[in-house]
Amino acid sequence: VLEDLNACLDHRGEVFIPELRRSFRCAPGRFRLFGCQNPVHQGGGRKGLPKSFLNRFTQVHMNPLSEDDLALIVRSQHPGLPHNIVASMVRFNTCLAADRVTASFGEFNLRDIERWCGLMTAQQRAARRGEQEQGQHHHHHHQQQ
């Protein structure tokens, strides 16, 4: 991946996508690449990027997301989940991070909260479908009598 990105940023100015068997030109002055990486010390044994690669970017360091930030993001992505449940999930995440329980398997972060919420939302939908099917079955049963 790094070599492919370097091909975009150096004199070649293009990237080859093997799945499409096609090269794409990166138009000078019109092409921008935004990259994100968590700090190297976070997560399980990630290697830092080469300095020659990092020098191609303007680095912006961000403060960690607060509980309020996390809750706002999660509520906007999963409006069907009750606010008190979202707050409890975010608090649980913060407690794990504070207790360093996660040290053996990395950080428990926004991506994990999002997955958790996705599972809860899917469960809610399945429960609603089950209730609807049960209601239709019950309604159909009464019509036959």
Side-chain angles (χ1 to χ4, degrees):
V1 173
L2 286 183
E3 183 55 37
D4 292 338
L5 290 176
N6 269 327
C8 288
L9 302 172
D10 67 14
H11 66 279
R12 293 170 281 181
E14 67 179 31
V15 62
F16 177 72
I17 307 296
E19 294 81 4
L20 301 175
R21 288 185 234 120
R22 238 181 107 193
S23 289
F24 294 88
R25 297 242 4 110
C26 305
R30 294 184 45 217
F31 174 79
R32 291 191 180 173
L33 178 65
F34 292 86
C36 301
Q37 181 185 20
N38 290 338
V40 176
H41 65 274
Q42 286 182 1
R46 182 184 309 115
K47 291 182 179 174
L49 294 170
K51 198 167 193 66
S52 60
F53 186 73
L54 290 175
N55 287 341
R56 296 177 179 271
F57 291 89
T58 300
Q59 293 184 38
V60 177
H61 297 272
M62 310 271 305
N63 290 327
L65 295 173
S66 70
E67 282 193 24
D68 287 342
D69 296 332
L70 290 168
L72 180 68
I73 293 167
V74 171
R75 282 196 310 265
S76 71
Q77 296 295 314
H78 302 276
L81 293 179
H83 287 222
N84 64 323
I85 298 292
V86 170
S88 294
M89 294 168 83
V90 168
R91 205 168 312 111
F92 177 75
N93 177 69
T94 302
C95 289
L96 281 180
D99 289 346
R100 296 281 179 217
V101 170
T102 57
S104 62
F105 61 88
E107 301 282 323
F108 190 77
N109 58 29
L110 177 59
R111 183 182 305 135
D112 300 301
I113 297 173
E114 282 288 332
R115 287 179 182 148
W116 189 5
C117 288
L119 290 170
M120 291 183 67
T121 302
Q123 183 182 9
Q124 282 180 336
R125 277 195 298 268
R128 278 196 297 272
R129 266 197 313 273
E131 289 169 5
Q132 288 172 349
E133 288 170 5
Q134 191 174 24
Q136 289 170 353
H137 176 72
H138 183 70
H139 179 72
H140 182 70
H141 182 69
H142 277 311
Q143 284 181 336
Q144 288 181 338
Q145 290 181 347

